[in-house]
PDB file of all heavy atoms in Angstrom:
ATOM      1  N   GLU A   1      13.966  -1.821  16.559  1.00 75.00           N
ATOM      2  CA  GLU A   1      13.673  -2.779  17.607  1.00 75.00           C
ATOM      3  C   GLU A   1      14.727  -3.944  17.740  1.00 75.00           C
ATOM      4  O   GLU A   1      14.629  -4.731  18.597  1.00 75.00           O
ATOM      5  CB  GLU A   1      12.287  -3.428  17.425  1.00 75.00           C
ATOM      6  CG  GLU A   1      11.192  -2.416  17.589  1.00 75.00           C
ATOM      7  CD  GLU A   1       9.871  -3.037  17.265  1.00 75.00           C
ATOM      8  OE1 GLU A   1       9.791  -4.241  16.751  1.00 75.00           O
ATOM      9  OE2 GLU A   1       8.798  -2.401  17.421  1.00 75.00           O
ATOM     10  N   SER A   2      15.727  -3.842  16.849  1.00 73.00           N
ATOM     11  CA  SER A   2      16.813  -4.855  16.869  1.00 73.00           C
ATOM     12  C   SER A   2      16.292  -6.285  16.906  1.00 73.00           C
ATOM     13  O   SER A   2      16.702  -7.132  17.671  1.00 73.00           O
ATOM     14  CB  SER A   2      17.736  -4.564  18.056  1.00 73.00           C
ATOM     15  OG  SER A   2      18.327  -3.308  18.042  1.00 73.00           O
ATOM     16  N   ASP A   3      15.342  -6.589  15.967  1.00 74.00           N
ATOM     17  CA  ASP A   3      14.789  -7.918  15.883  1.00 74.00           C
ATOM     18  C   ASP A   3      15.187  -8.481  14.557  1.00 74.00           C
ATOM     19  O   ASP A   3      14.586  -7.988  13.525  1.00 74.00           O
ATOM     20  CB  ASP A   3      13.253  -7.886  16.051  1.00 74.00           C
ATOM     21  CG  ASP A   3      12.650  -9.211  15.922  1.00 74.00           C
ATOM     22  OD1 ASP A   3      13.312 -10.237  15.711  1.00 74.00           O
ATOM     23  OD2 ASP A   3      11.359  -9.304  15.815  1.00 74.00           O
ATOM     24  N   PRO A   4      16.091  -9.434  14.483  1.00 68.00           N
ATOM     25  CA  PRO A   4      16.597  -9.958  13.140  1.00 68.00           C
ATOM     26  C   PRO A   4      15.496 -10.569  12.303  1.00 68.00           C
ATOM     27  O   PRO A   4      15.635 -10.585  11.131  1.00 68.00           O
ATOM     28  CB  PRO A   4      17.759 -10.989  13.549  1.00 68.00           C
ATOM     29  CG  PRO A   4      17.359 -11.342  14.949  1.00 68.00           C
ATOM     30  CD  PRO A   4      16.757 -10.228  15.658  1.00 68.00           C
ATOM     31  N   THR A   5      14.544 -11.189  12.980  1.00 67.00           N
ATOM     32  CA  THR A   5      13.491 -11.888  12.235  1.00 67.00           C
ATOM     33  C   THR A   5      12.551 -10.816  11.657  1.00 67.00           C
ATOM     34  O   THR A   5      11.610 -11.262  10.936  1.00 67.00           O
ATOM     35  CB  THR A   5      12.706 -12.846  13.130  1.00 67.00           C
ATOM     36  OG1 THR A   5      12.050 -12.178  14.257  1.00 67.00           O
ATOM     37  CG2 THR A   5      13.682 -13.972  13.657  1.00 67.00           C
ATOM     38  N   LYS A   6      12.795  -9.648  11.923  1.00 77.00           N
ATOM     39  CA  LYS A   6      11.907  -8.574  11.247  1.00 77.00           C
ATOM     40  C   LYS A   6      12.112  -8.645   9.747  1.00 77.00           C
ATOM     41  O   LYS A   6      11.302  -8.034   9.008  1.00 77.00           O
ATOM     42  CB  LYS A   6      12.436  -7.203  11.693  1.00 77.00           C
ATOM     43  CG  LYS A   6      11.525  -6.045  11.301  1.00 77.00           C
ATOM     44  CD  LYS A   6      10.241  -6.011  12.120  1.00 77.00           C
ATOM     45  CE  LYS A   6      10.589  -5.761  13.626  1.00 77.00           C
ATOM     46  NZ  LYS A   6      11.139  -4.520  13.901  1.00 77.00           N
ATOM     47  N   LEU A   7      13.129  -9.330   9.209  1.00 77.00           N
ATOM     48  CA  LEU A   7      13.327  -9.512   7.750  1.00 77.00           C
ATOM     49  C   LEU A   7      12.065 -10.168   7.101  1.00 77.00           C
ATOM     50  O   LEU A   7      11.787  -9.950   5.910  1.00 77.00           O
ATOM     51  CB  LEU A   7      14.574 -10.317   7.429  1.00 77.00           C
ATOM     52  CG  LEU A   7      14.921 -10.202   5.973  1.00 77.00           C
ATOM     53  CD1 LEU A   7      15.726  -8.937   5.749  1.00 77.00           C
ATOM     54  CD2 LEU A   7      15.714 -11.332   5.485  1.00 77.00           C
ATOM     55  N   ILE A   8      11.288 -10.867   7.913  1.00 77.00           N
ATOM     56  CA  ILE A   8      10.037 -11.440   7.386  1.00 77.00           C
ATOM     57  C   ILE A   8       9.173 -10.342   6.869  1.00 77.00           C
ATOM     58  O   ILE A   8       8.594 -10.368   5.760  1.00 77.00           O
ATOM     59  CB  ILE A   8       9.313 -12.328   8.383  1.00 77.00           C
ATOM     60  CG1 ILE A   8      10.162 -13.605   8.787  1.00 77.00           C
ATOM     61  CG2 ILE A   8       7.925 -12.747   7.827  1.00 77.00           C
ATOM     62  CD1 ILE A   8       9.530 -14.425   9.783  1.00 77.00           C
ATOM     63  N   GLU A   9       8.957  -9.366   7.811  1.00 81.00           N
ATOM     64  CA  GLU A   9       8.094  -8.153   7.321  1.00 81.00           C
ATOM     65  C   GLU A   9       8.761  -7.426   6.208  1.00 81.00           C
ATOM     66  O   GLU A   9       8.104  -6.958   5.337  1.00 81.00           O
ATOM     67  CB  GLU A   9       7.866  -7.273   8.521  1.00 81.00           C
ATOM     68  CG  GLU A   9       6.826  -7.754   9.528  1.00 81.00           C
ATOM     69  CD  GLU A   9       7.322  -8.859  10.521  1.00 81.00           C
ATOM     70  OE1 GLU A   9       8.573  -9.002  10.678  1.00 81.00           O
ATOM     71  OE2 GLU A   9       6.434  -9.625  11.003  1.00 81.00           O
ATOM     72  N   ILE A  10      10.048  -7.241   6.251  1.00 86.00           N
ATOM     73  CA  ILE A  10      10.837  -6.515   5.278  1.00 86.00           C
ATOM     74  C   ILE A  10      10.664  -7.127   3.857  1.00 86.00           C
ATOM     75  O   ILE A  10      10.302  -6.491   2.833  1.00 86.00           O
ATOM     76  CB  ILE A  10      12.296  -6.350   5.633  1.00 86.00           C
ATOM     77  CG1 ILE A  10      12.466  -5.512   6.875  1.00 86.00           C
ATOM     78  CG2 ILE A  10      13.093  -5.742   4.453  1.00 86.00           C
ATOM     79  CD1 ILE A  10      13.862  -5.453   7.372  1.00 86.00           C
ATOM     80  N   VAL A  11      10.781  -8.480   3.813  1.00 84.00           N
ATOM     81  CA  VAL A  11      10.540  -9.214   2.556  1.00 84.00           C
ATOM     82  C   VAL A  11       9.163  -9.148   2.119  1.00 84.00           C
ATOM     83  O   VAL A  11       8.942  -8.941   0.867  1.00 84.00           O
ATOM     84  CB  VAL A  11      11.006 -10.698   2.810  1.00 84.00           C
ATOM     85  CG1 VAL A  11      10.637 -11.555   1.582  1.00 84.00           C
ATOM     86  CG2 VAL A  11      12.510 -10.815   3.000  1.00 84.00           C
ATOM     87  N   MET A  12       8.248  -9.320   2.977  1.00 83.00           N
ATOM     88  CA  MET A  12       6.816  -9.244   2.556  1.00 83.00           C
ATOM     89  C   MET A  12       6.532  -7.746   2.039  1.00 83.00           C
ATOM     90  O   MET A  12       5.744  -7.701   1.004  1.00 83.00           O
ATOM     91  CB  MET A  12       5.921  -9.564   3.710  1.00 83.00           C
ATOM     92  CG  MET A  12       5.991 -11.019   4.149  1.00 83.00           C
ATOM     93  SD  MET A  12       4.889 -11.496   5.393  1.00 83.00           S
ATOM     94  CE  MET A  12       3.337 -11.446   4.540  1.00 83.00           C
ATOM     95  N   ILE A  13       7.021  -6.825   2.651  1.00 85.00           N
ATOM     96  CA  ILE A  13       6.808  -5.440   2.073  1.00 85.00           C
ATOM     97  C   ILE A  13       7.423  -5.297   0.802  1.00 85.00           C
ATOM     98  O   ILE A  13       6.875  -4.612  -0.069  1.00 85.00           O
ATOM     99  CB  ILE A  13       7.222  -4.381   3.138  1.00 85.00           C
ATOM    100  CG1 ILE A  13       6.280  -4.420   4.385  1.00 85.00           C
ATOM    101  CG2 ILE A  13       7.296  -3.011   2.585  1.00 85.00           C
ATOM    102  CD1 ILE A  13       6.768  -3.565   5.487  1.00 85.00           C
ATOM    103  N   GLY A  14       8.688  -5.801   0.678  1.00 85.00           N
ATOM    104  CA  GLY A  14       9.297  -5.736  -0.683  1.00 85.00           C
ATOM    105  C   GLY A  14       8.533  -6.355  -1.668  1.00 85.00           C
ATOM    106  O   GLY A  14       8.368  -5.839  -2.899  1.00 85.00           O
ATOM    107  N   LYS A  15       8.055  -7.607  -1.439  1.00 84.00           N
ATOM    108  CA  LYS A  15       7.242  -8.339  -2.410  1.00 84.00           C
ATOM    109  C   LYS A  15       5.951  -7.620  -2.702  1.00 84.00           C
ATOM    110  O   LYS A  15       5.471  -7.540  -3.830  1.00 84.00           O
ATOM    111  CB  LYS A  15       6.960  -9.731  -1.848  1.00 84.00           C
ATOM    112  CG  LYS A  15       8.210 -10.632  -1.913  1.00 84.00           C
ATOM    113  CD  LYS A  15       7.816 -12.030  -1.449  1.00 84.00           C
ATOM    114  CE  LYS A  15       9.071 -12.975  -1.381  1.00 84.00           C
ATOM    115  NZ  LYS A  15       9.639 -13.244  -2.681  1.00 84.00           N
ATOM    116  N   GLN A  16       5.364  -6.949  -1.643  1.00 83.00           N
ATOM    117  CA  GLN A  16       4.157  -6.229  -1.878  1.00 83.00           C
ATOM    118  C   GLN A  16       4.420  -5.034  -2.744  1.00 83.00           C
ATOM    119  O   GLN A  16       3.553  -4.729  -3.579  1.00 83.00           O
ATOM    120  CB  GLN A  16       3.641  -5.803  -0.461  1.00 83.00           C
ATOM    121  CG  GLN A  16       2.240  -5.184  -0.499  1.00 83.00           C
ATOM    122  CD  GLN A  16       1.787  -4.741   0.913  1.00 83.00           C
ATOM    123  OE1 GLN A  16       2.510  -4.102   1.687  1.00 83.00           O
ATOM    124  NE2 GLN A  16       0.584  -5.093   1.269  1.00 83.00           N
ATOM    125  N   LEU A  17       5.535  -4.419  -2.577  1.00 84.00           N
ATOM    126  CA  LEU A  17       5.884  -3.228  -3.402  1.00 84.00           C
ATOM    127  C   LEU A  17       5.969  -3.668  -4.877  1.00 84.00           C
ATOM    128  O   LEU A  17       5.369  -2.998  -5.765  1.00 84.00           O
ATOM    129  CB  LEU A  17       7.239  -2.656  -2.983  1.00 84.00           C
ATOM    130  CG  LEU A  17       7.891  -1.528  -3.841  1.00 84.00           C
ATOM    131  CD1 LEU A  17       6.924  -0.323  -3.935  1.00 84.00           C
ATOM    132  CD2 LEU A  17       9.158  -1.167  -3.382  1.00 84.00           C
ATOM    133  N   LEU A  18       6.671  -4.787  -5.099  1.00 84.00           N
ATOM    134  CA  LEU A  18       6.781  -5.353  -6.490  1.00 84.00           C
ATOM    135  C   LEU A  18       5.458  -5.739  -7.177  1.00 84.00           C
ATOM    136  O   LEU A  18       5.143  -5.409  -8.254  1.00 84.00           O
ATOM    137  CB  LEU A  18       7.786  -6.449  -6.551  1.00 84.00           C
ATOM    138  CG  LEU A  18       9.258  -6.083  -6.184  1.00 84.00           C
ATOM    139  CD1 LEU A  18      10.118  -7.373  -6.134  1.00 84.00           C
ATOM    140  CD2 LEU A  18       9.860  -5.139  -7.160  1.00 84.00           C
ATOM    141  N   MET A  19       4.646  -6.431  -6.221  1.00 85.00           N
ATOM    142  CA  MET A  19       3.375  -6.841  -6.671  1.00 85.00           C
ATOM    143  C   MET A  19       2.420  -5.671  -7.004  1.00 85.00           C
ATOM    144  O   MET A  19       1.618  -5.680  -7.991  1.00 85.00           O
ATOM    145  CB  MET A  19       2.675  -7.766  -5.699  1.00 85.00           C
ATOM    146  CG  MET A  19       3.288  -9.163  -5.607  1.00 85.00           C
ATOM    147  SD  MET A  19       2.419 -10.165  -4.446  1.00 85.00           S
ATOM    148  CE  MET A  19       0.765 -10.281  -5.193  1.00 85.00           C
ATOM    149  N   SER A  20       2.494  -4.642  -6.147  1.00 85.00           N
ATOM    150  CA  SER A  20       1.666  -3.449  -6.318  1.00 85.00           C
ATOM    151  C   SER A  20       1.957  -2.776  -7.550  1.00 85.00           C
ATOM    152  O   SER A  20       1.055  -2.426  -8.435  1.00 85.00           O
ATOM    153  CB  SER A  20       1.797  -2.515  -5.185  1.00 85.00           C
ATOM    154  OG  SER A  20       1.389  -3.061  -4.006  1.00 85.00           O
ATOM    155  N   ARG A  21       3.264  -2.590  -7.851  1.00 85.00           N
ATOM    156  CA  ARG A  21       3.643  -1.908  -9.116  1.00 85.00           C
ATOM    157  C   ARG A  21       3.273  -2.809 -10.400  1.00 85.00           C
ATOM    158  O   ARG A  21       2.778  -2.319 -11.327  1.00 85.00           O
ATOM    159  CB  ARG A  21       5.135  -1.741  -9.139  1.00 85.00           C
ATOM    160  CG  ARG A  21       5.683  -0.832 -10.209  1.00 85.00           C
ATOM    161  CD  ARG A  21       7.097  -0.602 -10.048  1.00 85.00           C
ATOM    162  NE  ARG A  21       7.475   0.116  -8.869  1.00 85.00           N
ATOM    163  CZ  ARG A  21       8.550  -0.004  -8.221  1.00 85.00           C
ATOM    164  NH1 ARG A  21       9.443  -0.921  -8.618  1.00 85.00           N
ATOM    165  NH2 ARG A  21       8.800   0.661  -7.102  1.00 85.00           N
ATOM    166  N   GLY A  22       3.483  -4.189 -10.234  1.00 85.00           N
ATOM    167  CA  GLY A  22       3.205  -5.053 -11.364  1.00 85.00           C
ATOM    168  C   GLY A  22       1.652  -5.119 -11.546  1.00 85.00           C
ATOM    169  O   GLY A  22       1.211  -5.077 -12.786  1.00 85.00           O
ATOM    170  N   SER A  23       0.868  -5.214 -10.576  1.00 87.00           N
ATOM    171  CA  SER A  23      -0.559  -5.242 -10.655  1.00 87.00           C
ATOM    172  C   SER A  23      -1.193  -4.051 -11.273  1.00 87.00           C
ATOM    173  O   SER A  23      -2.010  -4.127 -12.175  1.00 87.00           O
ATOM    174  CB  SER A  23      -1.184  -5.521  -9.236  1.00 87.00           C
ATOM    175  OG  SER A  23      -0.786  -6.752  -8.675  1.00 87.00           O
ATOM    176  N   LEU A  24      -0.673  -2.832 -10.857  1.00 87.00           N
ATOM    177  CA  LEU A  24      -1.304  -1.573 -11.317  1.00 87.00           C
ATOM    178  C   LEU A  24      -0.791  -1.297 -12.749  1.00 87.00           C
ATOM    179  O   LEU A  24      -1.451  -0.705 -13.460  1.00 87.00           O
ATOM    180  CB  LEU A  24      -0.976  -0.460 -10.395  1.00 87.00           C
ATOM    181  CG  LEU A  24      -1.655  -0.508  -9.042  1.00 87.00           C
ATOM    182  CD1 LEU A  24      -1.282   0.668  -8.210  1.00 87.00           C
ATOM    183  CD2 LEU A  24      -3.231  -0.531  -9.187  1.00 87.00           C
ATOM    184  N   THR A  25       0.450  -1.829 -13.085  1.00 87.00           N
ATOM    185  CA  THR A  25       0.909  -1.646 -14.438  1.00 87.00           C
ATOM    186  C   THR A  25      -0.047  -2.559 -15.333  1.00 87.00           C
ATOM    187  O   THR A  25      -0.463  -2.081 -16.416  1.00 87.00           O
ATOM    188  CB  THR A  25       2.369  -2.096 -14.528  1.00 87.00           C
ATOM    189  OG1 THR A  25       3.130  -1.245 -13.701  1.00 87.00           O
ATOM    190  CG2 THR A  25       2.863  -2.031 -15.931  1.00 87.00           C
ATOM    191  N   THR A  26      -0.235  -3.761 -14.924  1.00 88.00           N
ATOM    192  CA  THR A  26      -1.117  -4.619 -15.686  1.00 88.00           C
ATOM    193  C   THR A  26      -2.493  -4.036 -15.925  1.00 88.00           C
ATOM    194  O   THR A  26      -3.070  -3.981 -17.037  1.00 88.00           O
ATOM    195  CB  THR A  26      -1.309  -6.020 -15.041  1.00 88.00           C
ATOM    196  OG1 THR A  26      -0.041  -6.608 -14.871  1.00 88.00           O
ATOM    197  CG2 THR A  26      -2.139  -6.935 -15.810  1.00 88.00           C
ATOM    198  N   PHE A  27      -3.043  -3.433 -14.806  1.00 88.00           N
ATOM    199  CA  PHE A  27      -4.404  -2.798 -14.863  1.00 88.00           C
ATOM    200  C   PHE A  27      -4.344  -1.616 -15.812  1.00 88.00           C
ATOM    201  O   PHE A  27      -5.229  -1.491 -16.684  1.00 88.00           O
ATOM    202  CB  PHE A  27      -4.793  -2.399 -13.555  1.00 88.00           C
ATOM    203  CG  PHE A  27      -6.085  -1.598 -13.431  1.00 88.00           C
ATOM    204  CD1 PHE A  27      -7.296  -2.427 -13.157  1.00 88.00           C
ATOM    205  CD2 PHE A  27      -6.152  -0.241 -13.623  1.00 88.00           C
ATOM    206  CE1 PHE A  27      -8.492  -1.743 -13.169  1.00 88.00           C
ATOM    207  CE2 PHE A  27      -7.434   0.366 -13.569  1.00 88.00           C
ATOM    208  CZ  PHE A  27      -8.638  -0.359 -13.352  1.00 88.00           C
ATOM    209  N   SER A  28      -3.253  -0.832 -15.718  1.00 86.00           N
ATOM    210  CA  SER A  28      -3.160   0.418 -16.591  1.00 86.00           C
ATOM    211  C   SER A  28      -3.098   0.104 -18.087  1.00 86.00           C
ATOM    212  O   SER A  28      -3.768   0.691 -18.940  1.00 86.00           O
ATOM    213  CB  SER A  28      -1.950   1.249 -16.082  1.00 86.00           C
ATOM    214  OG  SER A  28      -1.841   2.395 -16.924  1.00 86.00           O
ATOM    215  N   ILE A  29      -2.269  -0.897 -18.391  1.00 85.00           N
ATOM    216  CA  ILE A  29      -2.030  -1.240 -19.861  1.00 85.00           C
ATOM    217  C   ILE A  29      -3.385  -1.822 -20.408  1.00 85.00           C
ATOM    218  O   ILE A  29      -3.842  -1.497 -21.511  1.00 85.00           O
ATOM    219  CB  ILE A  29      -0.889  -2.216 -20.011  1.00 85.00           C
ATOM    220  CG1 ILE A  29       0.385  -1.438 -19.662  1.00 85.00           C
ATOM    221  CG2 ILE A  29      -0.797  -2.732 -21.403  1.00 85.00           C
ATOM    222  CD1 ILE A  29       1.595  -2.292 -19.694  1.00 85.00           C
ATOM    223  N   ALA A  30      -3.981  -2.774 -19.540  1.00 86.00           N
ATOM    224  CA  ALA A  30      -5.245  -3.376 -20.017  1.00 86.00           C
ATOM    225  C   ALA A  30      -6.379  -2.281 -20.207  1.00 86.00           C
ATOM    226  O   ALA A  30      -7.198  -2.277 -21.048  1.00 86.00           O
ATOM    227  CB  ALA A  30      -5.726  -4.401 -19.082  1.00 86.00           C
ATOM    228  N   ASN A  31      -6.290  -1.317 -19.207  1.00 84.00           N
ATOM    229  CA  ASN A  31      -7.200  -0.185 -19.249  1.00 84.00           C
ATOM    230  C   ASN A  31      -7.079   0.591 -20.559  1.00 84.00           C
ATOM    231  O   ASN A  31      -8.021   1.027 -21.190  1.00 84.00           O
ATOM    232  CB  ASN A  31      -6.857   0.744 -18.091  1.00 84.00           C
ATOM    233  CG  ASN A  31      -8.011   1.457 -17.474  1.00 84.00           C
ATOM    234  OD1 ASN A  31      -9.211   1.209 -18.009  1.00 84.00           O
ATOM    235  ND2 ASN A  31      -7.786   2.324 -16.569  1.00 84.00           N
ATOM    236  N   ASP A  32      -5.825   0.888 -20.911  1.00 81.00           N
ATOM    237  CA  ASP A  32      -5.605   1.718 -22.092  1.00 81.00           C
ATOM    238  C   ASP A  32      -6.108   0.992 -23.370  1.00 81.00           C
ATOM    239  O   ASP A  32      -6.580   1.618 -24.277  1.00 81.00           O
ATOM    240  CB  ASP A  32      -4.171   2.126 -22.221  1.00 81.00           C
ATOM    241  CG  ASP A  32      -3.691   2.900 -21.127  1.00 81.00           C
ATOM    242  OD1 ASP A  32      -4.485   3.701 -20.597  1.00 81.00           O
ATOM    243  OD2 ASP A  32      -2.502   2.889 -20.697  1.00 81.00           O
TER     244      ASP A  32
END
């Protein structure tokens, strides 16, 4: 869409990816 401010969504998805991985890793280790 050629919208430079789309980086807001890109950053939020990047942070969401890192948080998802970190959260589920925490859950998994505590689970074990």
Side-chain angles (χ1 to χ4, degrees):
E1 292 175 352
S2 300
D3 176 6
T5 61
K6 192 73 67 63
L7 194 83
I8 293 175
E9 281 79 18
I10 295 173
V11 169
M12 292 184 69
I13 289 172
K15 290 183 181 296
Q16 189 180 45
L17 172 64
L18 295 175
M19 285 184 62
S20 299
R21 191 179 296 149
S23 298
L24 290 180
T25 301
T26 302
F27 180 89
S28 180
I29 294 176
N31 209 7
D32 295 333

